[in-house]
Amino acid sequence: NFDTLKCGNCASFVQVFWSCGESLHDFRAQPHPISFDKAPGEYPEAVGRFWLQAKRNLVSQNWDAAAVMARSALQLALRSNDAVGANLKQEIDNLASKGVLPPVMQEWSHSVRELGNESAHPQPDQSATVAKDASDIVGFLDFLLQYLYTLPKKIEEYRGRKGA
């Protein structure tokens, strides 16, 4: 027999297998593979495509690829919010100067940009992106996309319910 259970502390799932007759004979818990099927509907299609690839590369432990996809999703998200500039650094600073990105988001956007640049434009003696950095950068991307797309949609839905 088996069941799939959701972890109470995170979004992970675990499959539990057990054998029993009159009493429990044995059991084994196995991590359930995490899968990402689609991006949230409020993300622009191109942003969602790169976000999805960043998430899938994390699951597959492709740390450099996850960093590059996070950087690409960041740039598309900024451009979809009318960022102007000759490069990603200027686009980040442009949206910050317009008040679209608060200072903490500007700072973290530069962190995503820098790590993504290292993976996108590697040097022969450069070390690989580590798991924790890739995870942190994709996690930050989640917060940024929630700020730019999910939160405004939820506010709009709330106002629609309240007639505001």
Side-chain angles (χ1 to χ4, degrees):
N1 298 321
F2 77 94
D3 272 325
T4 301
L5 306 171
K6 185 173 183 185
C7 174
N9 298 323
C10 64
S12 298
F13 288 88
V14 174
Q15 285 187 327
V16 180
F17 298 87
W18 71 91
S19 62
C20 61
E22 290 183 27
S23 63
L24 181 65
H25 296 289
D26 196 11
F27 74 95
R28 177 174 293 170
Q30 302 273 101
H32 187 45
I34 298 171
S35 65
F36 294 93
D37 298 325
K38 63 181 182 171
E42 61 271 14
Y43 294 3
E45 186 275 326
V47 172
R49 185 176 71 246
F50 282 91
W51 172 86
L52 195 57
Q53 290 178 57
K55 295 296 237 181
R56 288 176 175 168
N57 277 298
L58 275 184
V59 172
S60 299
Q61 301 181 3
N62 300 316
W63 314 129
D64 291 311
V68 172
M69 292 299 100
R71 183 200 182 284
S72 296
L74 167 68
Q75 190 155 35
L76 285 167
L78 298 179
R79 289 176 175 175
S80 77
N81 280 277
D82 301 321
V84 177
N87 55 47
L88 182 54
K89 181 181 185 315
Q90 291 177 6
E91 291 169 346
I92 292 167
D93 292 339
N94 174 256
L95 284 191
S97 72
K98 293 177 184 177
V100 175
L101 294 178
V104 70
M105 290 291 195
Q106 178 185 16
E107 177 186 337
W108 272 101
S109 294
H110 282 303
S111 294
V112 173
R113 175 185 61 81
E114 290 164 2
L115 182 62
N117 281 348
E118 290 174 13
S119 295
H121 309 288
Q123 297 298 319
D125 59 345
Q126 178 179 314
S127 58
T129 302
V130 298
K132 182 65 174 143
D133 285 346
S135 178
D136 286 348
I137 294 304
V138 174
F140 162 72
L141 176 66
D142 288 339
F143 287 122
L144 179 69
L145 297 181
Q146 286 175 16
Y147 177 79
L148 291 174
Y149 301 111
T150 306
L151 183 59
K153 181 175 172 118
K154 289 187 181 292
I155 291 170
E156 180 183 319
E157 290 170 353
Y158 170 78
R159 288 178 176 160
R161 284 194 322 272
K162 296 297 181 184

